[in-house]
Amino acid sequence: MKRRTFLQRIGSILAALQVSEVGWLFPESRYYKALAESSPRKLALLIGVNNYLQIPGLSGCLTDVELQRELLLHRFGFQASDILCLTDDAASRDLIEKAFFEHLTSQCKPGDVVFLHFSGYGSQIKSANALIPVDGYVNVKSSQVANYLLEDTLLLMLRLLPTDKVFAVIDAGYSSSNLTTPNLTPNITNSGLRIRTQLTETGIDIATSEIDLQKQLKNKIATTPPALVVSATSNLKQSASEVQMTGFNAGLLTYALTQFLWENTPATSIQVGLGRVENAIQQLGSNQQPTLLNAKKISQRTTFNDSLLVNSQIGAEGAVTAIEDNGKTVQLWLGGVAPQILEYYGVNSRFRIISTDNSQDIVSQDIVLRSRSGLTAKASLTDTGTTAQVRELKIGELIQEVVRVLPRNIDLHIAIDNSLERIERVDATGGFATVSRVSSVVPGEQPADYIFGKLPESKTAAKIKDVLSPSRYGLFTLSGEFIPNTSGEAGEVAKLAVQRLTPKLQTLLAAKLWRITSNEASSQLAVKVTLETINTTPQSLIQRQTNPYKLFNTVSTISTGSRIQFRVENKCSQVLYLVILGLDNSKNAFALFPWQNSLPKNSENSSEITNPATQPSLQNMTIEPGASINVPENNPGFEWIVQGLSNFCETQIILSTAPFSQTIAALATTKIAPVEQPQIMPLSNPSEVTQAMLQDLHNASAGKKDISDVYTWNVNNWVSFNFVYQVL
């Protein structure tokens, strides 16, 4: 079908619909109220290109399509027949346009929900952002014209839709700053992250037909509000990347966003959600910051539910996708499990089915994980132990975590930069072989946590004075960001550099381990945690709450020199025990040392003062039912003041129904001089303390101190929050 025919059809559709301006996604809107009384149709167009023509391919774009499809089907109630997927050869420029007009524009009515996703390469051409279809680069050099879909064209196409519920995701980048030199594969960095940007040479023109289409679209657009469009990056200096996991690759934005939306509750605003998505991307090793296009035109109160109309008020870790063996075996999609946890999610983990059947006579069975491959798993039903009728499982039912089983032998994986000379790589490999719980991997072949490489020689490439000297080794994030205080002396050999870095490697291992305890969305313990600044009066920055799971506030930047504290509220009916671990902005470990003064108040007895039995000691910090505490207390000399470089900080707040006995014992081995009250202090043995904490959580759930080859944690016994904030 020709473009002219498309546009004629569009004009007829819009004229017939008599689209007019409506209120933008507020409960008082007549459209909002109408939707509460009817079931709007939900249409989706999902586009992903791995195998390009004439340019190197990508690896995670088809996974992105699958991530979005499973989310839309099971979390947001889309019908399979209303989701159109265009992948690889089917994602040509003409077929994308045809699918948009025929599947979306011609079928959409006021009040309907429309979702569009694109994963693939992006580029800049004539200062315009552009998406590259599978055939977008064909014959570019000979014709000097690129067959791209301009971002502006796509935004105009979205404005054609006669509904105010349009949501789009663009997981592609336009920056060329991180592309490698021409003699290397141009979309793979030395870190192993694959960059979703193609460089368009100067002199290549935008197709005339594209310009003509834009002109005609501007005369045809509806008067509905602009679509909600989430883009992978917030500026042209950032690259959109895809991350490698065990068994699959995925776009950082798509993976983090879809995982969040599985767990998300309808009340969460888009601004808060994108903040959490950015944090998840940062912990996957990238500085990529997703952004909401036209953010100034979008209300701060707008939620994801306003656009997608979630069909369940409860978050989930995934869904049942198939039932086999007469109902005894089920296939699961685990898109709601956080990436750093899914990577190690083990056999015998347990889930419950989220049932809408409230009958007291029907029992819902738990399901037990039997095998897993990437995002998919097989599970079996558990024995209910009763004679009551068992509810029949259904495809599409959501699942929530009950028991998490993880291996104890989780290592830190360091990729050795491919740009190092072979002798350097061999030397470094030998060095890593001697470091406990740390292993080296080849970038692009296995998932990695960090990069071992050389510091840049060019002064223009470095912002930190410590990285200006040439030929020095250090550690980097997967996106190439230098980790402070990891550089050595010029001329240092690789093996000795690894040995020097061993303490920092153990700190980064500890952070990896405590992150896998995070379970804000699945924990059954009712707790609320608030990060506050207390420079003059307490100011709430970030709030989290479990059971029910809620997120509040979006401020995640703190000025250097600020005093901070966490307010922890126990809304349970039982005593909870608290541990706090974290990384400061120099990636040094700290912990809450819960000193308790055993000396009687106002004691003047000198023998009591000098008696070791009456000196402050480390004891479990408890929070009584219905009570709250501030950590640390805002007392002179014990404040928590953030200082140092402009960088990200991280704090893990962990609570358990049982004492952290082994954790306290591990903290006591640090030989830090005691003080009179709980205080945040540097942690010299983070790996040992973290492993002790993991064992304490296991003991709380297992009810005994067994030392099997796995950790087993029950969501009724622990809750763990991960806070990421930036010091400026």
Side-chain angles (χ1 to χ4, degrees):
M1 185 179 294
K2 301 293 186 181
R3 288 186 177 178
R4 181 174 298 176
T5 307
F6 282 139
L7 294 170
Q8 291 173 347
R9 178 179 294 183
I10 294 163
S12 301
I13 292 170
L14 295 177
L17 290 174
Q18 297 181 336
V19 176
S20 61
E21 185 74 41
V22 299
W24 175 223
L25 297 176
F26 286 107
E28 59 269 19
S29 162
R30 63 185 178 87
Y31 270 59
Y32 190 100
K33 294 177 181 178
L35 288 172
E37 301 172 356
S38 61
S39 298
R41 190 174 183 184
K42 298 182 175 183
L43 301 165
L45 175 59
L46 310 180
I47 305 161
V49 186
N50 276 346
N51 300 312
Y52 276 87
L53 303 177
Q54 297 186 1
I55 54 177
L58 295 167
S59 298
C61 299
L62 302 194
T63 303
D64 290 358
V65 168
E66 190 177 14
L67 285 164
Q68 294 286 19
R69 185 177 185 276
E70 296 295 331
L71 177 76
L72 296 178
L73 284 173
H74 304 305
R75 188 76 175 97
F76 292 103
F78 282 62
Q79 298 299 312
S81 57
D82 288 330
I83 301 176
L84 177 60
C85 300
L86 299 181
T87 58
D88 284 348
D89 290 346
S92 68
R93 177 65 182 79
D94 287 342
L95 289 178
I96 290 173
E97 190 175 300
K98 180 178 181 180
F100 186 95
F101 290 129
E102 293 192 347
H103 181 65
L104 301 182
T105 308
S106 65
Q107 297 190 86
C108 177
K109 295 180 175 59
D112 284 351
V113 174
V114 173
F115 182 86
L116 183 139
H117 178 94
F118 178 88
S119 280
Y121 279 126
S123 188
Q124 270 220 319
I125 179 171
K126 302 297 183 183
S127 299
N129 295 340
L131 308 178
I132 305 182
V134 68
D135 60 346
Y137 220 74
V138 174
N139 299 324
V140 166
K141 292 185 177 180
S142 59
S143 65
Q144 297 295 297
V145 174
N147 192 27
Y148 294 169
L149 173 62
L150 297 185
E151 182 185 84
D152 288 342
T153 304
L154 179 61
L155 296 178
L156 290 170
M157 292 165 68
L158 292 171
R159 290 296 304 273
L160 288 174
L161 300 168
T163 178
D164 58 359
K165 290 175 172 47
V166 181
F167 189 77
V169 176
I170 299 175
D171 201 344
Y174 311 116
S175 170
S176 59
S177 60
N178 285 341
L179 294 182
T180 55
T181 52
N183 60 322
L184 299 176
T185 304
N187 65 315
I188 301 176
T189 68
N190 289 326
S191 68
L193 287 181
R194 193 178 290 263
I195 305 302
R196 291 185 171 179
T197 303
Q198 260 310 307
L199 181 64
T200 299
E201 298 177 5
T202 56
I204 304 299
D205 290 324
I206 301 170
T208 303
S209 57
E210 185 80 6
I211 303 300
D212 292 342
L213 177 60
Q214 280 195 15
K215 292 178 180 179
Q216 297 176 68
L217 289 171
K218 290 176 181 178
N219 295 324
K220 299 289 185 179
I221 59 173
T223 55
T224 51
L228 291 173
V229 182
V230 176
S231 180
T233 59
S234 59
N235 63 64
L236 293 178
K237 295 182 180 180
Q238 296 177 345
S239 297
S241 305
E242 53 185 44
V243 66
Q244 182 180 18
M245 308 296 290
T246 299
F248 67 97
N249 292 60
L252 284 169
L253 168 63
T254 304
Y255 195 3
L257 176 63
T258 55
Q259 189 273 322
F260 170 78
L261 289 175
W262 275 102
E263 294 183 331
N264 169 56
T265 54
T268 306
S269 74
I270 287 181
Q271 300 294 346
V272 171
L274 286 183
R276 289 305 305 275
V277 169
E278 182 180 333
N279 289 347
I281 291 174
Q282 193 265 340
Q283 290 198 346
L284 287 171
S286 174
N287 62 350
Q288 180 180 323
Q289 297 175 310
T291 188
L292 183 65
L293 301 185
N294 298 319
K296 294 182 179 179
K297 299 181 180 180
I298 307 300
S299 167
Q300 293 289 321
R301 292 159 49 185
T302 302
T303 70
F304 288 103
N305 184 51
D306 289 329
S307 291
L308 295 174
L309 302 181
V310 64
N311 67 337
S312 172
Q313 302 298 306
I314 303 175
E317 274 67 57
V320 175
T321 57
I323 301 174
E324 305 170 349
D325 194 19
N326 295 321
K328 296 179 180 179
T329 302
V330 296
Q331 290 188 18
L332 304 176
W333 178 260
L334 300 178
V337 179
Q340 66 270 26
I341 298 170
L342 179 69
E343 191 76 359
Y344 300 101
Y345 220 75
V347 171
N348 293 323
S349 294
R350 188 179 296 245
F351 301 91
R352 72 178 181 91
I353 302 293
I354 301 176
S355 174
T356 56
D357 191 334
N358 296 320
S359 173
Q360 298 297 315
D361 300 324
I362 299 179
V363 177
S364 178
Q365 290 175 275
D366 285 352
I367 54 177
V368 180
L369 195 72
R370 297 306 182 196
S371 63
R372 183 183 62 83
S373 177
L375 289 154
T376 60
K378 284 196 174 184
S380 61
L381 299 178
T382 60
D383 187 353
T384 62
T386 70
T387 58
Q389 179 184 353
V390 176
R391 188 179 61 82
E392 182 179 353
L393 289 177
K394 299 176 183 178
I395 293 176
E397 288 187 307
L398 302 181
I399 59 173
Q400 275 190 333
E401 182 180 47
V402 175
V403 174
R404 183 181 301 176
V405 177
L406 299 170
R408 292 175 182 267
N409 59 337
I410 297 176
D411 292 347
L412 188 73
H413 301 296
I414 305 297
I416 300 176
D417 192 338
N418 279 332
S419 67
L420 298 180
E421 299 291 338
R422 183 178 182 278
I423 190 172
E424 294 176 291
R425 298 198 303 271
V426 171
D427 196 32
T429 300
F432 284 115
T434 66
V435 183
S436 175
R437 310 272 314 258
V438 177
S439 59
S440 60
V441 299
V442 178
E445 294 185 7
Q446 298 165 283
D449 298 306
Y450 297 93
I451 305 299
F452 175 81
K454 277 186 175 179
L455 296 145
E457 298 182 15
S458 171
K459 291 186 178 182
T460 59
K463 298 180 180 179
I464 303 175
K465 184 179 180 181
D466 192 39
V467 304
L468 297 182
S469 299
S471 302
R472 295 194 291 169
Y473 297 103
L475 293 174
F476 300 82
T477 66
L478 296 185
S479 62
E481 295 291 310
F482 173 67
I483 297 176
N485 303 318
T486 63
S487 62
E489 297 297 327
E492 180 183 36
V493 298
K495 189 172 184 178
L496 292 180
V498 173
Q499 295 176 4
R500 171 181 54 79
L501 290 168
T502 296
K504 181 66 71 177
L505 293 169
Q506 294 301 316
T507 297
L508 297 175
L509 170 64
K512 178 177 180 177
L513 293 177
W514 71 55
R515 288 169 188 162
I516 65 174
T517 68
S518 300
N519 70 335
E520 300 171 24
S522 64
S523 176
Q524 296 303 295
L525 300 180
V527 176
K528 185 177 180 179
V529 181
T530 306
L531 171 61
E532 301 174 331
T533 56
I534 49 173
N535 297 325
T536 52
T537 58
Q539 178 184 358
S540 175
L541 300 181
I542 308 173
Q543 290 182 340
R544 310 273 175 76
Q545 178 177 309
T546 61
N547 196 22
Y549 179 43
K550 293 181 180 179
L551 305 175
F552 310 87
N553 300 8
T554 60
V555 179
S556 58
T557 58
I558 301 175
S559 299
T560 184
S562 296
R563 292 179 297 166
I564 65 171
Q565 69 179 16
F566 283 92
R567 179 160 46 88
V568 185
E569 303 174 54
N570 179 5
K571 298 176 177 292
C572 301
S573 59
Q574 57 190 313
V575 174
L576 295 180
Y577 300 83
L578 173 68
V579 164
I580 296 180
L581 301 168
L583 294 178
D584 64 18
N585 44 357
S586 293
K587 295 297 180 284
N588 295 320
F590 61 80
L592 171 65
F593 283 76
W595 298 106
Q596 307 267 341
N597 197 342
S598 303
L599 190 67
K601 290 184 178 180
N602 302 320
S603 176
E604 296 180 358
N605 189 322
S606 60
S607 63
E608 287 184 332
I609 295 174
T610 58
N611 185 352
T614 61
Q615 293 300 300
S617 61
L618 293 171
Q619 300 178 27
N620 270 282
M621 179 166 281
T622 60
I623 311 177
E624 296 295 323
S628 65
I629 63 171
N630 294 327
V631 183
E633 293 288 350
N634 185 27
N635 295 326
F638 294 90
E639 303 98 332
W640 186 353
I641 303 176
V642 293
Q643 296 177 330
L645 302 170
S646 175
N647 208 340
F648 286 96
C649 297
E650 173 183 346
T651 303
Q652 197 79 27
I653 311 288
I654 309 144
L655 299 105
S656 173
T657 57
F660 286 100
S661 303
Q662 295 192 32
T663 308
I664 295 297
L667 286 171
T669 66
T670 58
K671 306 300 182 182
I672 289 181
V675 294
E676 295 181 352
Q677 65 183 54
Q679 187 171 19
I680 298 295
M681 307 176 78
L683 183 60
S684 60
N685 60 340
S687 180
E688 292 80 0
V689 170
T690 302
Q691 291 178 66
M693 178 270 295
L694 301 183
Q695 182 63 41
D696 281 330
L697 292 181
H698 175 83
N699 295 343
S701 296
K704 58 182 180 179
K705 298 181 180 179
D706 78 85
I707 50 173
S708 61
D709 59 353
V710 296
Y711 294 115
T712 302
W713 304 328
N714 191 299
V715 296
N716 293 305
N717 296 104
W718 105 98
V719 60
S720 181
F721 301 84
N722 183 270
F723 285 79
V724 177
Y725 44 98
Q726 188 174 16
V727 177
L728 298 176

